[in-house]
């Protein structure tokens, strides 16, 4: 059983070539916004930072802007969005079927 709830994601095309927008059912940045032109360091641990790391790891984006619940991606030349929606949907899923759940030794039941 997965822990956490999937994010509902709607992919929307942009009028600008090479740009795609995803709208989700929760805010990642509150009223603020974030821009990433590279993956942030692991010391930044907020949900938008983690999402940026995961999306940059795909090797298909050159930049990313998040404003509340809208994620705008600057796609790498020739890249498509296949699989990126799943990356966003899985942001808050912590354990997957077949993955052993971590326990604290001597932590009791």
């Amino acid at each position: 059983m997965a822990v956490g709830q999937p994010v509902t994601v709607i992919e929307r095309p942009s009028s600008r070539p090479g740009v795609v927008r995803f709208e989700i059912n929760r805010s990642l940045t509150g009223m603020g916004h974030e821009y990433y032109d590279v993956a942030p360091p692991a010391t930044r641990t907020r949900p938008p930072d983690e999402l940026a790391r995961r999306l940059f790891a795909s090797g298909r984006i050159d930049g990313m802007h998040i404003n509340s619940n809208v994620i705008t991606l600057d796609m790498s030349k020739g890249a498509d969005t296949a699989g990126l929606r799943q990356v966003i949907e899985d942001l808050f899923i912590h354990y997957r079927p077949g993955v052993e759940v971590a326990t604290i030794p001597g932590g009791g039941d």
Side-chain angles (χ1 to χ4, degrees):
M1 174 172 103
V3 175
Q5 295 180 344
V7 177
T8 301
V9 181
I10 298 171
E11 182 176 342
R12 302 216 185 264
S14 168
S15 60
R16 293 181 15 219
V19 175
V20 65
R21 193 174 72 223
F22 292 93
E23 296 176 10
I24 65 175
N25 66 334
R26 63 186 74 182
S27 174
L28 294 177
T29 62
M31 297 290 288
H33 65 91
E34 295 286 336
Y35 178 76
Y36 303 89
D37 56 3
V38 295
T43 55
R44 292 181 58 183
T45 59
R46 298 171 312 126
D49 302 323
E50 178 59 28
L51 180 59
R53 275 191 292 280
R54 292 178 187 191
L55 290 171
F56 274 101
S58 74
R60 291 185 270 156
I61 68 168
D62 292 332
M64 163 178 180
H65 179 262
I66 305 175
N67 184 2
S68 186
N69 69 321
V70 178
I71 303 158
T72 305
L73 302 180
D74 296 319
M75 302 300 295
S76 299
K77 186 173 177 126
D80 64 26
T81 61
L84 298 183
R85 178 179 170 174
Q86 188 71 41
V87 170
I88 298 167
E89 287 176 342
D90 290 350
L91 180 62
F92 293 107
I93 303 297
H94 304 292
Y95 301 107
R96 307 207 176 288
V99 175
E100 187 174 329
V101 178
T103 58
I104 299 171
D109 295 317

